[in-house]
Amino acid sequence: MAAKPGIPKGTRDFSPVEMAKRNYIFNIIRDVYHLYGFQQIETPSMEMLSTLMGKYGEEGDKLLFKIQNSGDYFSGITDEELLSRNAAKLASKFCEKGLRYDLTVPFARYVVMHRDEITFPFKRYQIQPVWRADRPQKGRYREFYQCDADVVGSDSLLNEVELMQIVDTVFTRFGIRVCIKINNRKILTGIAEIIGEADKIVDITVAIDKLDKIGLDNVNKELAEKGISEEAIAKLQPIILLSGTNAEKLATLKTVLSDSETGLKGVEESEFILNTLQTMGLKNEIELDLTLARGLNYYTGAIFEVKALDVQIGSITGGGRYDNLTGVFGMAGVSGVGISFGADRIFDVLNQLELYPKEAVNGTQLLFINFGEKEAAFSMGILSKARAAGIRAEIFPDAAKMKKQMSYANVKNIPFVAIVGENEMNEGKAMLKNMESGEQQLVTAEELIGALTK
């Protein structure tokens, strides 16, 4: 007996209904991106490891899925290297390629490779899967889709403002209440400077970013383990736990960071973004959150994260400003800012809150019952007209028992069934049945189309 097949942990199959829901998500995000002038690109699923390594910090590098070289990958490796069992070193010899970890680094590589074809500022969006060798858990997968939008070649903070408007518009269309959290890596750098730990900025931001997940005590423990002094940790507490309105937080930060030029620049940028958005009439709350750090090393300015208010789940959108990402590929001085919608988490949120519109998940609108060759041939004529009018319609392919065909319509939630027998053909019409109400009426092709398109 053949073994039952399976799929890798952290990956999923999607049914037709689930795909209809996912396409609803992608289509709304795509439509809003188009409203703001973004154009779509795609990049390969795999990149050279040299492109990916070192861009996500030490933790990110560990989560890269590496692809084993084809052919004789043992050639050029000594017995001594094999016997050393040094996994990291051997992987670097066995693997030249890896699955992309996100869409931002491949985008930076794309910009550098295609710089002569691009008009700056370049506004691109990308909706593709990414892979991370993470521990699978609720809301966290090893294969998942990101829906990114980035602007490169412009330092203007209006880009940040528009990205926050995009976030607000998308979640308003979904009907999901969210809190948009904003911070600035310059503020975090300034905080590290004033507590006397400027060289530990990466350790501090990685630890602070875990505050929601592991709590303050464990964050402080991690900071201590990274060699940050007790005095510095003590100075950090009132800053990361700062409360009040956005204006009150900014006012306090101006005082606290008065000796840090970098920190004050971050406050100034945050103030511009928040004040401008205040005039835009956002439907969702926006909050300056100093505990927001986002662990990725390449962020240099404003950073964003979105939390759903009515569902317990991690961040459902994130992003930020990066000033030097293309520099590692030999193209210095190109600033960028972007956001990424977590389609898989949004899928889970919409499911839990039952927010999918009925029309988004319904497939076929009309099924023609098949009684035999003559009836099917007559039905095909009406079917063609219905499809030409934009009605999603099909005919049952076999002249099976009526009960089986009606059961098919019920299982697929098809709202209307067309019945064509000898009497209907004689009148040049079809019997249209509403599957929900049970109501039936004899109609011409034009009347049928009118009933389903009104």
Side-chain angles (χ1 to χ4, degrees), residues 95 110 116 121 144 160 198 215 235 265 268 320 323 333 362 367 403 407 421 424:
C95 311
Y110 175 95
D116 295 333
F144 56 97
E160 277 86 338
K235 284 182 182 176
K265 181 66 176 169
E268 180 190 323
D323 285 333
N362 282 350
L367 173 71
K403 183 179 178 182
S407 174
E424 287 79 16

Side-chain angles (χ1 to χ4, degrees), residues 92-112:
S92 69
K93 301 257 183 174
F94 286 164
C95 311
E96 293 175 351
K97 297 173 286 292
L99 294 177
R100 59 169 174 250
Y101 178 93
D102 73 352
L103 300 177
T104 307
V105 170
F107 173 53
R109 189 266 311 149
Y110 175 95
V111 170
V112 173

Side-chain angles (χ1 to χ4, degrees), residues 117-164:
E117 307 153 31
I118 291 172
T119 301
F120 293 100
F122 182 41
K123 301 171 77 170
R124 88 80 170 86
Y125 78 88
Q126 206 170 335
I127 299 176
Q128 288 187 275
V130 299
W131 294 266
R132 295 183 186 178
D134 214 342
R135 185 171 64 85
Q137 52 186 286
K138 183 178 173 59
R140 188 182 292 273
Y141 306 102
R142 285 177 170 165
E143 178 185 62
F144 56 97
Y145 268 75
Q146 287 185 336
C147 309
D148 283 20
D150 288 80
V151 186
V152 294
S154 169
D155 296 323
S156 172
L157 292 173
L158 287 178
N159 296 311
E160 277 86 338
V161 169
E162 288 210 326
L163 289 172
M164 293 304 91

Side-chain angles (χ1 to χ4, degrees), residues 191-426:
I191 291 169
E193 286 176 7
I194 63 155
I195 65 171
E197 297 284 1
D199 59 329
K200 295 286 179 68
I201 179 60
V202 172
D203 292 332
I204 291 170
T205 54
V206 167
I208 288 176
D209 201 44
K210 298 175 184 174
L211 188 69
D212 278 354
K213 303 183 189 88
I214 64 177
L216 185 60
D217 289 344
N218 286 320
V219 166
N220 290 338
K221 184 181 174 186
E222 185 170 320
L223 289 168
E225 287 170 356
K226 294 291 186 180
I228 293 161
S229 70
E230 281 186 35
E231 183 186 357
I233 293 171
K235 284 182 182 176
L236 196 55
Q237 305 309 292
I239 300 169
I240 63 173
L241 298 176
L242 192 64
S243 60
T245 65
N246 292 335
E248 287 167 347
K249 289 175 185 174
L250 288 167
T252 302
L253 284 170
K254 284 177 186 176
T255 304
V256 171
L257 299 175
S258 59
D259 292 334
S260 170
E261 187 181 340
T262 302
L264 287 176
K265 181 66 176 169
V267 173
E268 180 190 323
E269 290 178 3
S270 301
E271 191 168 36
F272 175 85
I273 295 166
L274 290 166
N275 287 348
T276 308
L277 287 169
Q278 203 168 8
T279 68
M280 298 294 173
L282 296 189
K283 303 288 193 298
N284 291 282
E285 176 190 357
I286 185 158
E287 176 195 349
L288 178 64
D289 182 356
L290 297 185
T291 69
L292 173 61
R294 295 199 60 78
L296 298 179
N297 284 351
Y298 52 64
Y299 291 123
T300 55
I303 45 180
F304 322 107
E305 204 156 270
V306 178
K307 300 280 187 182
L309 295 177
D310 300 315
V311 172
Q312 282 290 106
I313 197 166
S315 165
I316 54 178
T317 298
R321 165 74 63 173
Y322 44 89
D323 285 333
N324 49 18
L325 194 59
T326 55
V328 299
F329 299 122
M331 187 178 175
V334 179
S335 183
V337 60
I339 53 170
S340 179
F341 288 96
D344 297 86
R345 287 188 175 180
I346 293 170
F347 176 90
D348 291 344
V349 171
L350 288 170
N351 266 339
Q352 287 185 55
L353 299 178
E354 297 182 349
L355 288 174
Y356 288 102
K358 193 175 180 181
E359 60 272 17
V361 295
N362 282 350
T364 301
Q365 296 168 272
L366 174 67
L367 173 71
F368 281 83
I369 299 297
N370 186 340
F371 287 121
E373 281 186 31
K374 282 191 298 182
E375 292 87 348
F378 181 89
S379 296
M380 289 293 282
I382 305 176
L383 179 62
S384 295
K385 290 178 181 176
R387 285 174 176 158
I391 295 167
R392 301 184 300 277
E394 58 181 292
I395 185 169
F396 199 84
D398 306 302
K401 289 182 179 178
M402 179 83 156
K403 183 179 178 182
K404 180 177 180 180
Q405 298 188 52
M406 296 299 274
S407 174
Y408 175 85
N410 281 323
V411 169
K412 288 190 71 176
N413 289 315
I414 300 173
F416 290 94
V417 163
I419 300 165
V420 176
E422 194 170 331
N423 292 338
E424 287 79 16
M425 284 195 297
N426 289 337

